[in-house]
Amino acid sequence: MSTPDSDGAVARGIQRITASPLGPYQSAVIRIGVSATYFLFLLREIPHRQEMYGPDAPWRWDMARQLTSGNQAFTTLMWSDSAIWFEIVYALALVAAALLMVGWHTRAVSVLFMVGVLSLQNRSIFMGDGGDNVIHLMAIYLVLTRCGQVWSLDARRARRTGGVEASPSGVAGPLLWAAFGVTLCGATVTGSLGGTSWLPVFFWVLWIGHGVWWAVNRYAPDSEPRTLLDVIANLAHNATLALIMAEVCLIYATAGWYKIQGSRWQDGTALYYPLNLDYFTPWPGLSDLLASSGVMVMVLTYATVMVQVAFPFTLFNRRVKNALLVLMICEHAGIALLLGLPFFSMAMIAADAVFLPTAFLVWLGAQSVLGRDLLLRRLRRRARGRGEVPGPRDGTGAGADTGADADAVGAGAGPGDREAPQQRGGEGHTLVG
């Protein structure tokens, strides 16, 4: 039998997951971290892009075509074997990663980012590692989240309109939507959306949903359909955030339990071997120093296994969870430094951010704003010392944001739709506190 207390708890729970998107700062850090990781990766591989994903790749276009026809994977690089088309796709993936990182039209750009990631990774599946798998998954998840609420150009645009979602009167949003629609129609007619049935449906639902959102937000911003769309978006966001948590826990749990079964992990010598491989030693002197200490190798080997296995069981104990989270981030930083795998480490740290405490992220954002303002003041003083005339301060420049909240991180703004901050107040979901 239900009681008034239990009914009230259920009602409060439903209200919590439908009234607002949870973890706005965590989702923003995931957005920034994942897109920055992929942006830097694509930037570093520009000299080798043709050999990795392009016409000069050992895994030739016809071989990739045969593979994708068998595994039904989606990639726009299979639409043409032209070198010009490859350059366009690579450039669009690079631009999408940069725009998603700064949070410009996050709803539309997140879809473009996902398409870029899937196109390049599914073209040459043997080029990836664990970090690429994480980016692959997070690129899909970000499409379903409202990851532009804070620390984005969209959030700055919302703040300048008084915290209320502005009328989408700009042309950038409709132009992006129209371009996506034309491309989607052509890809659907030609059967170029992979061999699965769910992916075309997914793309069409996203495209129609974005159009309905724009129309309702412009012509009926205070209506019941607008409230219903908010509820649907919040449910999708919160469910995806829970899915990201489960994904991170699964990654660490499987990694830890597989390590336990390995004899080298059992005897505490597993870390010794990668430290003596030339391919994984960017700093030979540092690797040799660490590998020369048997006690240190054993401690780090056992600590790695224990932290990975224990982490999923500590989520509901905030202090223990935060302590293990710090250890895992330090572990990935060590992997980046000692083994020369910076992008793998960046991807994992970005995924780990879903568990970071909200209070810490708010403090970090405030410190970033203070640091930015301090840097701008120093630059203005230097300009005045050289006799240069500083630009006018009309209340919209950098100096006007001093003392603003953490959403001020980012520069510039443009017209169009964006995510409005929603009931933040320093709150987070129960696992991030």
Side-chain angles (χ1 to χ4, degrees):
M1 295 179 61
S2 62
T3 64
D5 290 340
S6 63
D7 291 342
V10 172
R12 287 192 298 271
I14 295 175
Q15 173 70 13
R16 181 170 175 79
I17 64 175
T18 58
S20 63
L22 304 178
Y25 292 95
Q26 287 79 7
S27 58
V29 173
I30 295 173
R31 183 200 85 231
I32 296 171
V34 171
S35 57
T37 300
Y38 205 60
F39 174 78
L40 294 175
F41 171 77
L42 294 180
L43 206 60
R44 188 193 72 171
E45 299 300 338
I46 284 180
H48 314 290
R49 65 190 185 281
Q50 296 283 354
E51 291 78 13
M52 294 182 64
Y53 306 112
D56 297 335
W59 189 252
R60 301 191 310 274
W61 186 88
D62 56 332
M63 298 169 65
R65 180 82 175 191
Q66 183 178 357
L67 179 63
T68 54
S69 63
N71 62 14
Q72 300 180 337
F74 166 77
T75 169
T76 59
L77 289 178
M78 292 297 99
W79 294 0
S80 172
D81 60 350
S82 168
I84 297 178
W85 175 244
F86 165 75
E87 297 294 348
I88 292 175
V89 172
Y90 196 93
L92 286 177
L94 194 63
V95 171
L99 293 178
L100 186 62
M101 181 170 55
V102 298
W104 182 80
H105 291 272
T106 51
R107 284 193 294 272
V109 171
S110 63
V111 178
L112 184 60
F113 177 73
M114 179 189 69
V115 171
V117 171
L118 297 182
S119 296
L120 293 175
Q121 291 189 355
N122 290 340
R123 162 63 176 86
S124 299
I125 61 174
F126 302 107
M127 298 301 299
D129 57 15
D132 293 294
N133 292 336
V134 172
I135 293 175
H136 191 109
L137 294 171
M138 294 302 161
I140 299 174
Y141 296 154
L142 284 174
V143 173
L144 301 174
T145 64
R146 306 183 73 173
C147 56
Q149 303 166 87
V150 297
W151 296 345
S152 66
L153 298 183
D154 292 344
R156 165 170 286 194
R157 190 160 52 247
R159 187 178 62 256
R160 289 178 175 176
T161 59
V164 180
E165 192 154 7
S167 176
S169 56
V171 298
L175 285 178
L176 285 173
W177 185 79
F180 286 160
V182 172
T183 305
L184 188 56
C185 285
T188 303
V189 171
T190 58
S192 302
L193 293 177
T196 60
S197 58
W198 69 267
L199 188 60
V201 174
F202 179 66
F203 278 127
W204 277 110
V205 168
L206 287 176
W207 185 75
I208 294 173
H210 288 181
V212 172
W213 180 282
W214 182 90
V216 172
N217 193 51
R218 177 165 186 175
Y219 298 109
D222 299 320
S223 63
E224 290 187 2
R226 175 64 171 80
T227 303
L228 177 61
L229 290 177
D230 254 335
V231 169
I232 295 174
N234 293 337
L235 283 172
H237 170 93
N238 296 332
T240 305
L241 208 62
L243 183 60
I244 293 174
M245 294 179 187
E247 188 74 47
V248 174
C249 291
L250 183 63
I251 290 173
Y252 283 118
T254 53
W257 286 106
Y258 271 112
K259 286 181 175 68
I260 288 177
Q261 302 175 47
S263 59
R264 295 294 175 262
W265 291 96
Q266 293 174 6
D267 60 26
T269 62
L271 187 62
Y272 173 82
Y273 299 98
L275 291 175
N276 285 275
L277 293 175
D278 293 338
Y279 186 77
F280 292 107
T281 53
W283 310 98
L286 185 59
S287 298
D288 292 342
L289 179 63
L290 183 60
S292 63
S293 174
V295 175
M296 184 61 67
V297 169
M298 182 184 66
V299 169
L300 293 177
T301 300
Y302 286 148
T304 299
V305 176
M306 288 188 291
V307 168
Q308 291 181 351
V309 172
F311 180 74
F313 300 100
T314 64
L315 294 183
F316 295 97
N317 188 315
R318 189 170 301 175
R319 292 182 178 179
V320 178
K321 179 264 295 182
N322 290 339
L324 290 187
L325 192 59
V326 171
L327 291 177
M328 288 195 301
I329 292 176
C330 292
E331 172 192 335
H332 291 304
I335 291 174
L337 178 65
L338 295 173
L339 303 183
L341 298 172
F343 299 113
F344 165 79
S345 298
M346 290 176 63
M348 287 305 306
I349 292 175
D352 292 343
V354 71
F355 295 110
L356 288 174
T358 300
F360 168 74
L361 293 177
V362 172
W363 173 85
L364 185 64
Q367 296 304 309
S368 299
V369 172
L370 292 176
R372 181 205 64 183
D373 293 338
L374 179 61
L375 177 62
L376 291 177
R377 284 196 294 269
R378 288 181 177 178
L379 292 177
R380 286 196 295 268
R381 283 199 298 267
R382 290 182 180 180
R384 287 194 293 268
R386 292 194 299 265
E388 299 177 5
V389 179
R393 300 180 61 183
D394 56 359
T396 62
D401 289 332
T402 304
D405 61 3
D407 296 351
V409 177
D417 55 344
R418 65 332 147 254
E419 297 280 5
Q422 306 237 354
Q423 300 181 11
R424 294 191 301 274
E427 293 186 1
H429 48 78
T430 55
L431 299 185
V432 299

